[in-house]
Amino acid sequence: MTKLAAFVASSGLVLTTFASPATAAVYTPKHEAGRCAIRGHCGSKSFFGSQLPCVDNGLAKEPDDKLREQLVSLCGPKWAEGPVCCDAEQVDALRSNLKTANQIISTCPACKDNFFNLFCTFTCSPDQSLFINVTKTMEKNGKTMVTELDQLISEEYGTGFYDSCKDVKFGPTNSRAMDLIGGGAKNYTQLLAFLGQERFGGSPFQINFPTSYGDLRMHPLPMKPKKCNDEDPSFRCACIDCPAVCPELPAVEEAGSCHVGALPCLSFASILTYGLLVFACVAAVVGRSLWIRHTRRRTERLRLLTDAAPSDDEDEGDLTENPAMLDRPQNAYVVNTWCDTAFSRLGHTAARFPALTISGATLVVLVLSLGWFHFELEKDPARLWVSPTSAAAQEKQFFDDNFGPFYRSEKIFLVNDLNDSGPAPVLSYDTLTWWMDVEASIRKLRGPKYGSRLQDLCLKPTGDACVVQSVSAYFQDDPSFVDPRGWKDQLRSCANSPVECRPEYGQPLEPNMILGGYAESGDPADATAMTVTWVLNNYPEGSSGEARAMDWEEAMKNRLLALQDEARERGLRLSFSTEISLEQELNKSTNTDAKIIVISYIIMFLYASIALGSTTLSLRDLLRNPAISLVESKFTLGVVGIVIVLMSITASIGLFSWFGLKATLIIVDVIPFIVLAVGVDNIFLIVHEFERVNISHPDDVVEVRIARALGRMGPSILFSAVTETVCFALGAFVGMPAVRNFAVYAAGAVFINALLQVTMFVSVLTLNQIRVEDSRADCFPAARYYDAPAETLLQRFIRKTYAPALLGKKTKAVVVAVFLGLFAAAVALLPAVELGLDQRVAIPDDSYLIPYFNDLYDYFDAGPPVYFVTREFNATERSQQQKICSRFTTCEQLSLTNILEQERKREEVSYIASPTAGWIDDFFQWLNPDNEKCCVERRKPCFWRREPEWNITLAGMPEGDEFVHYLTKFLNAPTNEDCPLAGRASYGSAVVVDEDRRTIKASHFRTMHSPLRSQEDFIHAYASARRIANEISTSTGLDVFPYSVFYIFFDQYASIVSLTATLLGSAVGIVFVVSTLLLGSPLTAAVVTITVVMAVTDIIGAMALMGVSLNAVSLVNLIICVGIAVEFCAHIARAYTFPSRTFLERAKNRFRGRDARAWTALANVGGSVFSGITVTKVLGVAVLAFTRSKIFEIYYFRVWVALVVSAASHALVFLPVALSVLGGEGYVDPESESPGGLEQDLASRRYRALVPEGDLSDDDEEEEDE
């Protein structure tokens, strides 16, 4: 495209602001109207140089008819009369050189007219001597050639000229026309200076543009420029090239824009509501206190008047029975009775036939585990995190099927930031020459398997040149062109005018695409980072082309890894990414953390063995008789508990592998932790309850005691198992395969684990109890020892200290106030939870991609391309053409390209930063007969002398079969210097023509996003693109969708907030339904549900504080949190609803009604919840703190820490208080109520056995303060 810069050769225009006016007019002595300054061609400076004009201060002459016709056809009707200062040779040269510029700016009539008028006036004006003064000449072959001159242009015309052209777009290169015709000029003086600067390929002589001139005879011609929104519609430009004529788009209301001051509305409402509630409560307490004081004074006055004193003979009505027992539940709940009976029978069967139960369970697990032979891991990120039925996945498939897969890119950053003094310029003479050698070696690089080279695989839009975006292109990719002293000047020159330093593939290379870190100084030579991008063709998945590309990329990766050491030796840092890098790093084995999993299981096993043994082993007994530890040890139970967890995991994975459900590394890594944390809990509950039954019913056979224990704890296990399984299974409704499969595997493992615990573990517990009663040692059952059970310190602390203190009136008020305050704070923090999953988190900490992503966000100042795709669009009809065009007067104001251009002008909202490449506008411009070398048939322009003629109203444009014919021709026409509008390079793969149906099956309109530097930017850019596509579809009626290579991973965030609310709401609803069914009290179920909601809300609030963003991973974690929070609460709630008679008796005179049942629940199962649920989860989660995977540390460790703290505190602190205030009715516990005196005798026996000597005085303790 050298003609683009050379078109000024015929006229020789060069204008600059800083030139000094000449003091003498030697070559142009006369300055008057009707007199010339230059005329004709006198030769060139060199053999390859352009023609220079001759000095001629003579009078203007009337042209002949042929010259007049040429001049009028080129410069317009105003040249139809009067003398001129040019000849036919000059006009022919002017026409030839203006053709390239015409292709670039012809879409804007005002810009074209100003441009052509400037050159026509300069070349042929009869008054040249009034505004041109020749200052330097050269003699050659007896002729005087002009080598320098001054020209006067008015500021009005120069400014108007620039303003009319500054927003014109050149579609094929997706850039501003000013970058091509004006070298990226920022004002009219820079534009004029670029057009005429003497240089190779540009103007052959120098022309200065003085701001003032000493010769008063000279002055600018009074030319009036056309405006892009000119009053004359024939010069008015389209919206895309002239913002002044564009319709105003409606304002975009951003999500979350509601604020009260600096606070989001939700946060403000939460804080205000809590503040008002606290104020109301304080006012009520103060008012009640004043009223009580007033009432007491009045009562005292009445006593003095009546002298009422009780008689010594009066019966004071002393209670003969514990008041708590007077309020105990009297009715049975049929569902609980059924569950109790069912679990009792199940426990009795498992205890009676332990060998059969254990072998049967093992056989079932083995059969399910055979599915491991069908086990497959899914490693493709696109298949892991994107639902195949989602809009983004289907749109990607449509794009790939019609336009081919998106390009493969290999990118590096070279940064100078290793110095102690801080970042420094990355470029130097040595660095430039070294890097050019590196690029040369990469061009020679071959894939180890297929031997392919870069030249075989790279994208070549215009011929044989590969697309390589590198600073080397500014030096023609040749070290010999790097001047040791002048390389900085050349760099600055190319950065200021990229069109002058284009790489081989022809696209001007903006400095922000290859340099970074110089924003403060604005000098590209100060850039602290440079980036290079190699663009490769992409191929269908599984094709040989893809295999060859991946093979070469593997060689490229190895070369760049070695290159990092070379760069370090030079004091530089190199980071990089290849197309295969991300998937490889995501699937690195370092993410599995196998050691962490093993350690967590060992710790849990040790804790289970010790803690389970402590249920029947006190420190006093151990000191008295150390041999008892061998009998009471639960080592075997601990081992079996861990084995059952592993069996449930293998069975679940095997089961779903049978059905072809692919696993992921997350499943392999995370499910062992979840099942371990959930599965061990029930073991503690069963063992603890069984020990109580051993105390209360020591004379029953083991099978009956097992049946009683499972009958009591079975419904609680059912409660927690059902809610956990269903909550986990809700994750299956998330479209992303990684999340869905994880949820299904986890739900299956938890459910199978619960089944094995109430069958296989119960059988093992039976065998263990038989061993204990025979006083045989654990692991060495042949040895016999002494047996002596006792109440644990934890159980005694909860019964005597914690529960009474918690249920005091003042304590309850404080608890409610604190937990409601935490809930309000969590709600206030909800808007602060960010969306996204940073790629740097998903890969190992030691990955070479971490520095690359850091550099990408810090130094790369360009955004990814975005395509707006049309489906099934009948562009053969004029009305449909008008819906997508923008450069013609009859295009719809809210056409596709007009809307995109308007959105570009509000980049902060739309995230659209570059002009749109619209194929239909360039196609119609390609048909323009003025572009003689574009559309040619029979050696003439296609639309030459066409009726109606080609015009900007679309009246003469093709339709129907003719449209398809010329469009096919356009898409196949080679893009070159003669015709840069030709469509092969820019649109060859952008339009899919269905010739049989005479329609456009698919087409895309390309633009660019603004630089995206965070997950928030990517999410907003995707949302904005969706919004824009919807608006285009609404406005035009076309089927339009946006596509960019990253959209497929961010589609989840378009609905993740509503999906989170829906799934959590569904989980909470299920909790309420299951709670109501199994507890028999909607009121108690509501308290449990509210507690779970508060706990989960606090977890979400903690996510905001801990920097955990909301994404598919954290969404599944939140669903898991609901299930596990229910597990914490379920046993307390059930013990409250079905209170144990023996524990209720021991409440004595201290509590009644709800308080008594709340105390009973804590005393009965509080210890089990703490030691069996809380501590097990703390141990399981604590191990994750040592993980090497960032995603584990952030999205599992942090969230689960918040879960354990929140769920445990709500279950052991808030829930008992809430139940004591708002709990529903209670029911008879079938396992605690027996007819006749036998139950009383057993309860008394349990009381004496459970409570140590000297600890029977609960009723003698001081009454609690009012």
Side-chain angles (χ1 to χ4, degrees), residues 427 471 474-475 487-495 515 524-525:
L427 294 178
V471 71
Y474 283 178
F475 303 91
W487 69 267
K488 288 186 179 181
D489 292 333
Q490 185 175 351
L491 176 69
R492 295 184 184 111
S493 175
C494 290
L515 299 171

Side-chain angles (χ1 to χ4, degrees), residues 178-342:
M178 189 59 67
D179 294 338
L180 301 174
I181 66 169
K186 301 299 188 291
N187 52 56
Y188 84 92
T189 56
Q190 292 181 8
L191 167 62
L192 298 176
F194 173 82
L195 287 174
Q197 182 182 3
E198 183 178 6
R199 66 190 182 279
F200 176 78
S203 174
F205 60 96
Q206 180 72 29
I207 298 181
N208 303 313
F209 178 52
T211 56
S212 61
Y213 216 69
D215 193 333
L216 298 180
R217 296 173 298 169
M218 294 184 62
H219 56 80
L221 291 184
M223 297 188 298
K224 185 177 177 64
K226 300 296 183 182
K227 297 181 293 184
C228 69
N229 61 335
D230 204 84
E231 292 79 6
D232 186 345
S234 61
F235 293 103
R236 194 174 300 155
C237 303
C239 166
I240 195 170
D241 295 327
C242 182
V245 303
C246 292
E248 185 176 353
L249 296 180
V252 177
E253 184 176 348
E254 296 184 50
S257 58
C258 177
H259 281 75
V260 179
L263 288 176
C265 290
L266 179 62
S267 303
F268 177 80
S270 175
I271 295 171
L272 179 63
T273 302
Y274 179 70
L276 293 176
L277 185 61
V278 170
F279 176 79
C281 291
V282 171
V285 170
V286 172
R288 182 174 181 274
S289 176
L290 294 175
W291 174 254
I292 291 175
R293 187 178 301 175
H294 170 74
T295 304
R296 284 178 177 174
R297 289 177 180 174
R298 184 179 179 185
T299 303
E300 289 174 359
R301 288 197 298 269
L302 291 174
R303 280 181 182 174
L304 292 174
L305 292 174
T306 59
D307 193 24
S311 170
D312 292 338
D313 298 329
E314 287 185 23
D315 183 5
E316 301 207 13
D318 291 339
L319 295 174
T320 58
E321 189 173 6
N322 181 356
M325 291 298 293
L326 296 177
D327 297 330
R328 74 182 186 276
Q330 302 295 326
N331 300 320
Y333 179 49
V334 62
V335 174
N336 183 70
T337 303
W338 290 346
C339 291
D340 182 279
T341 303

Side-chain angles (χ1 to χ4, degrees), residues 892-903:
E892 292 185 2
Q893 277 200 324
L894 293 179
S895 67
L896 185 152
T897 44
N898 274 337
I899 289 177
L900 290 178
E901 176 59 20
Q902 286 294 81
E903 292 289 354

Side-chain angles (χ1 to χ4, degrees), residues 1176-1198:
T1176 56
K1177 286 177 173 54
V1178 168
L1179 292 175
V1181 170
V1183 179
L1184 284 176
F1186 303 99
T1187 179
R1188 291 171 294 177
S1189 172
K1190 202 69 176 176
I1191 194 171
F1192 264 45
E1193 189 268 327
I1194 293 176
Y1195 291 100
Y1196 292 99
F1197 174 69
R1198 295 183 189 179

Side-chain angles (χ1 to χ4, degrees), residues 846-869:
D846 58 352
S847 171
Y848 62 84
L849 287 181
I850 297 290
Y852 167 77
F853 285 124
N854 292 337
D855 293 337
L856 185 67
Y857 291 151
D858 292 341
Y859 298 113
F860 194 53
D861 197 31
V866 54
Y867 303 84
F868 287 85
V869 183

Side-chain angles (χ1 to χ4, degrees), residues 687-994:
V687 171
H688 288 175
E689 183 60 30
F690 180 63
E691 295 301 339
R692 293 193 186 99
V693 173
N694 284 339
I695 295 171
S696 61
H697 298 79
D699 297 331
D700 289 345
V701 295
V702 174
E703 291 87 346
V704 174
R705 279 177 278 157
I706 288 287
R708 286 182 176 274
L710 193 60
R712 178 164 181 79
M713 293 313 301
S716 288
I717 295 174
L718 176 65
F719 186 4
S720 61
V722 168
T723 51
E724 284 173 344
T725 301
V726 174
C727 287
F728 290 177
L730 280 175
F733 293 97
V734 178
M736 284 158 285
V739 176
R740 181 186 65 238
N741 295 4
F742 171 82
V744 171
Y745 275 105
V750 169
F751 184 72
I752 294 172
N753 183 74
L755 291 179
L756 292 176
Q757 286 170 338
V758 296
T759 53
M760 181 176 177
F761 180 77
V762 166
S763 297
V764 175
L765 181 61
T766 302
L767 297 177
N768 181 75
Q769 185 61 28
I770 293 173
R771 173 194 62 77
V772 170
E773 292 181 2
D774 287 344
S775 298
R776 294 195 297 270
D778 192 13
C779 299
F780 302 98
R784 301 176 68 88
Y785 298 95
Y786 172 76
D787 182 7
E791 183 182 33
T792 65
L793 292 175
L794 176 61
Q795 292 170 333
R796 186 180 310 165
F797 168 76
I798 292 175
R799 178 175 60 83
K800 291 185 63 62
T801 305
Y802 176 72
L806 179 66
L807 296 175
K809 290 183 178 180
K810 294 179 181 178
T811 306
K812 287 196 285 188
V814 172
V815 168
V816 171
V818 169
F819 277 83
L820 287 181
L822 292 173
F823 177 70
V827 172
L829 286 169
L830 291 182
V833 178
E834 298 180 347
L835 304 182
L837 175 59
D838 197 320
Q839 292 170 311
R840 291 171 289 189
V841 170
I843 54 182
D845 288 344
D846 58 352
S847 171
Y848 62 84
L849 287 181
I850 297 290
Y852 167 77
F853 285 124
N854 292 337
D855 293 337
L856 185 67
Y857 291 151
D858 292 341
Y859 298 113
F860 194 53
D861 197 31
V866 54
Y867 303 84
F868 287 85
V869 183
T870 65
R871 286 186 281 206
E872 295 297 331
F873 167 56
N874 186 11
T876 63
E877 298 177 359
R878 178 77 70 241
S879 61
Q880 299 300 307
Q881 295 168 1
Q882 292 167 337
K883 292 180 179 180
I884 62 171
C885 70
S886 59
R887 299 182 183 276
F888 299 87
T889 56
T890 58
C891 296
E892 292 185 2
Q893 277 200 324
L894 293 179
S895 67
L896 185 152
T897 44
N898 274 337
I899 289 177
L900 290 178
E901 176 59 20
Q902 286 294 81
E903 292 289 354
R904 183 188 67 83
K905 294 166 187 172
R906 52 181 186 184
E907 181 181 331
E908 70 285 352
V909 174
S910 67
Y911 292 85
I912 300 295
S914 71
T916 303
W919 59 268
I920 196 164
D921 288 315
D922 291 328
F923 166 48
F924 287 158
Q925 289 293 336
W926 177 76
L927 293 173
N928 189 343
D930 289 344
N931 301 322
E932 296 176 353
K933 294 188 177 181
C934 285
C935 183
V936 178
E937 288 183 330
R938 299 183 182 92
R939 299 183 181 181
K940 292 183 179 180
C942 297
F943 277 35
W944 182 62
R945 294 184 177 179
R946 178 186 174 90
E947 290 294 336
E949 65 179 0
W950 188 98
N951 60 77
I952 62 171
T953 66
L954 292 180
M957 300 305 174
E959 294 184 88
D961 291 336
E962 187 182 36
F963 178 89
V964 173
H965 166 72
Y966 281 116
L967 178 60
T968 305
K969 189 178 179 71
F970 165 73
L971 297 175
N972 293 321
T975 307
N976 52 39
E977 293 180 358
D978 290 331
C979 185
L981 281 169
R984 180 189 295 176
S986 300
Y987 305 115
S989 61
V991 184
V992 181
V993 181
D994 189 338

Side-chain angles (χ1 to χ4, degrees), residues 329-342 711 715 718-719 1072-1085 1133-1134 1136-1139 1157 1225-1231 1233:
Q330 302 295 326
N331 300 320
Y333 179 49
V334 62
V335 174
N336 183 70
T337 303
W338 290 346
C339 291
D340 182 279
T341 303
L718 176 65
F719 186 4
F1072 177 76
V1073 171
V1074 174
S1075 301
T1076 302
L1077 179 64
L1078 294 181
L1079 297 179
S1081 171
L1083 195 57
T1084 301
R1134 191 174 183 282
Y1136 168 86
T1137 306
F1138 305 99
R1157 284 189 282 140
E1225 63 177 320
Y1227 296 99
V1228 171
D1229 178 21
E1231 293 299 329
E1233 300 290 340

